[in-house]
Amino acid sequence: MTGLVNRFDIVNSEIVATIPTELGRMSQLQLTLHLTQTYLYGGAISGATGGLYGAIPTQLGNLVALTSSISLRSNKLCGELPTQVTALSSSQFTINPDQFRVDGNHLGTRCCEALNESYTCAPTAIPSPLPTTPRPSPLPTLSALPTTSVPTPSPTATDLPTTNPAHLPTNPPTELIYVTEWTNAGYSGTIPTELGRCTKIIELDVSRNSFEGSIPTELGYLTKMLIRFDFGTNSLSAAIPSELGAFSKLYKTFSLASNGLTATVPTQLGLVSSLRNHFKLESNFLSSSLPSELASMTRLGDAFHVNGNEAMCGVLPAEVAALSGGIDSWQVADGTSIGTGCPTPQPSPEPTTS
């Protein structure tokens, strides 16, 4: 199947098979590849009535002629998301980022060798016992030797049990690749700095919770952030870390809206230049003028929101204002002082001497 094909769609099916690597040979596929809600699994299925299984083949990265959408969502895919596949949503191709869907899977988890009927990892088969052979007749006993009492040795470190404490995760968090469904979950407290160790995360949405405190600078280690970074509608405070400028591959959503963030917008956010859908900083306590570096977001098309920051002021850089013509929702001036001069910083009072 290597000729011209517009669509290849399998939706809500009961097929039992792997995702064939041969799909990568359809290099002229022009519009869509949809394998949604077909229960794609990462190992052999035992007793299943339907569903595809197996990790996402890297060969799908050959479908460079696709112009509309790829959807592998709502399955049970496991393993890592191949970089060859994520590259199809980069700027060199024409797929709408909203139509690159891999959510609703178990990407980043280990693929099982076998699944049971509830689609969890089945235990590895235990080999049949070796055939028993008759024991030889016992040797004649030797004459009794004098015995002495030998103390029992203390156990060494290798003799101690190695069971994993119940409070420790079976899989370390650094194996995560795709984090979602944290939105509106009733979470509170501070954002753990340990999230910065999960360096394979490509989407992180913790919006509509009650997180407080500052955004950890360690999140700058999440350089594979690809789809969504959304910390909106929490109670976060302090400055926006400049380290978030490391999200240079992020293409869909960057949102810190509706928090209590202060200080200026870091110039490093201009490095998030692959962003195509939403850039949202509205309803905070950000101050000073917008950096001209934000003008690098030339692919942005849906929303640019910085409104509702009363202390934001100064002249809007002409390079940033030029983006407004290609953005559907441009909200800059409302609830801000943009367009007026920023107040002159007052010098700190000299210490008084007695």
Side-chain angles (χ1 to χ4, degrees):
M1 190 182 294
T2 56
L4 291 177
V5 179
N6 284 333
R7 300 178 183 272
F8 189 91
D9 297 343
I10 300 177
V11 181
N12 295 324
S13 74
E14 294 186 358
I15 295 175
V16 180
T18 59
I19 304 177
T21 59
E22 288 79 6
L23 284 182
R25 296 173 56 194
M26 296 195 301
S27 56
Q28 301 303 313
L29 187 64
Q30 295 182 343
L31 293 179
T32 64
L33 173 66
H34 289 176
L35 300 174
T36 61
Q37 296 178 327
T38 51
Y39 301 102
L40 304 169
Y41 285 91
I45 295 181
S46 173
T49 58
L52 298 173
Y53 62 91
I56 301 175
T58 59
Q59 289 84 351
L60 296 188
N62 296 330
L63 306 181
V64 294
L66 281 171
T67 59
S68 181
S69 62
I70 293 178
S71 181
L72 305 176
R73 66 182 179 86
S74 300
N75 292 294
K76 302 293 181 183
L77 291 166
C78 59
E80 294 197 15
L81 182 60
T83 56
Q84 297 92 331
V85 178
T86 59
L88 295 176
S89 65
S90 66
S91 58
Q92 60 184 304
F93 302 117
T94 56
I95 293 175
N96 185 335
D98 274 338
Q99 299 301 322
F100 180 81
R101 302 289 301 275
V102 292
D103 50 293
N105 286 290
H106 296 301
L107 294 173
T109 62
R110 178 179 61 89
C111 291
C112 302
E113 294 181 5
L115 302 176
N116 57 27
E117 293 186 7
S118 60
Y119 306 120
T120 57
C121 289
T124 304
I126 300 174
S128 302
L130 295 175
T132 58
T133 56
R135 293 186 178 181
S137 303
L139 295 174
T141 58
L142 300 176
S143 57
L145 296 175
T147 59
T148 57
S149 177
V150 179
T152 304
S154 300
T156 62
T158 55
D159 297 324
L160 297 177
T162 58
T163 54
N164 192 41
H167 65 280
L168 293 179
T170 303
N171 296 318
T174 51
E175 290 185 2
L176 293 176
I177 188 173
Y178 195 90
V179 176
T180 188
E181 303 300 334
W182 286 15
T183 181
N184 199 23
Y187 292 138
S188 60
T190 58
I191 303 292
T193 59
E194 289 79 5
L195 270 178
R197 295 173 54 199
C198 304
T199 55
K200 295 182 180 179
I201 289 179
I202 63 173
E203 178 174 3
L204 183 56
D205 186 349
V206 299
S207 61
R208 300 183 183 277
N209 284 290
S210 300
F211 287 115
E212 57 188 7
S214 60
I215 300 172
T217 59
E218 288 82 356
L219 298 187
Y221 290 118
L222 307 182
T223 56
K224 294 185 179 180
M225 192 67 63
L226 180 69
I227 300 175
R228 179 186 291 107
F229 181 82
D230 193 345
F231 279 40
T233 316
N234 281 283
S235 299
L236 298 170
S237 57
I240 299 173
S242 60
E243 288 80 0
L244 300 188
F247 300 161
S248 59
K249 299 178 182 178
L250 185 66
Y251 71 80
K252 188 171 183 180
T253 297
F254 182 97
S255 177
L256 301 174
S258 301
N259 281 287
L261 299 170
T262 59
T264 62
V265 177
T267 59
Q268 289 83 354
L269 291 189
L271 298 174
V272 191
S273 55
S274 296
L275 203 60
R276 301 188 187 184
N277 293 84
H278 309 100
F279 179 75
K280 304 182 71 177
L281 301 178
E282 73 266 24
S283 302
N284 280 286
F285 299 102
L286 300 172
S287 60
S288 192
S289 57
L290 285 174
S292 59
E293 286 80 359
L294 298 184
S296 64
M297 298 182 182
T298 55
R299 300 182 181 91
L300 197 62
D302 288 345
F304 184 98
H305 293 177
V306 296
N307 54 298
N309 289 283
E310 294 182 2
M312 195 171 282
C313 56
V315 177
L316 182 65
E319 306 95 325
V320 177
L323 299 176
S324 62
I327 297 177
D328 293 337
S329 180
W330 178 264
Q331 298 187 27
V332 172
D334 291 345
T336 72
S337 298
I338 291 177
T340 65
C342 293
T344 303
Q346 298 298 319
S348 301
E350 294 291 334
T352 58
T353 58
S354 57

